[in-house]
Amino acid sequence: MVAGAAEIAVRSGALTGLTVLLISTVSPDELLVAATAALGAACAARAMRRAAGVRWRGARGAGRAVLLLPWAVLRGCGTLLAAAVRRPEDAVLRRTAVRQGADPGWAGIVLAASPDTCVLDMPHEDDPLLHTLDRRPGPVEKTVTDPGERR
């Protein structure tokens, strides 16, 4: 019960915050509407997650990956800009393995968030196929993948 209330509160808070960020000036009425809509959406999202049988799991490395994400995006933008100016000689296809204890769902999302990396396929739950413009793994890739499993 407490976990369910916490999940709804976090989802609702995130959705309300996003709505407030997207509105230039927020009146009390708009804030009330945003909070009410976010609460309804959070309840619906929780119900859908439970109906699908999805459970929270595998958060190992998630905090570090989220902290490194801004740096990975900036680095990826630089790599992408350099590739636009000259032909990328370092572009590679690389199959990796998600670290033990990390959920492939969020791992795939943070891997694809960098502009120089694209997750092409994840045929099994733990082995993403990446197309990168740099032979060296980026900071997020180093965090969420197993270094011994890069091929």
Side-chain angles (χ1 to χ4, degrees):
M1 182 71 175
V2 173
E7 178 185 352
I8 289 172
V10 168
R11 287 181 188 264
S12 180
L15 290 170
T16 302
L18 181 64
T19 304
V20 168
L21 282 174
L22 296 174
I23 298 174
S24 59
T25 57
V26 181
S27 71
D29 293 337
E30 290 171 327
L31 186 59
L32 178 64
V33 169
T36 304
L39 181 62
C43 290
R46 181 172 190 274
M48 298 275 289
R49 182 188 61 78
R50 291 186 65 189
V54 176
R55 302 285 176 245
W56 296 109
R57 64 184 174 105
R60 182 175 180 214
R64 181 170 163 77
V66 169
L67 288 175
L68 290 172
L69 199 54
W71 167 244
V73 169
L74 286 174
R75 179 182 176 271
C77 285
T79 304
L80 189 59
L81 182 62
V85 173
R86 59 177 167 69
R87 186 175 181 97
E89 297 150 4
D90 293 336
V92 294
L93 287 176
R94 179 172 43 245
R95 183 160 307 277
T96 63
V98 176
R99 275 189 196 268
Q100 188 73 24
D103 184 69
W106 67 260
I109 290 170
V110 296
L111 284 170
S114 180
D116 66 335
T117 303
C118 179
V119 178
L120 297 176
D121 190 17
M122 200 176 277
H124 305 95
E125 274 203 353
D126 61 350
D127 61 344
L129 176 62
L130 306 176
H131 178 267
T132 65
L133 295 176
D134 195 350
R135 289 192 185 281
R136 298 168 299 158
V140 172
E141 185 180 344
K142 288 178 185 176
T143 302
V144 301
T145 62
D146 187 3
E149 294 292 325
R150 290 191 189 106
R151 314 184 272 283

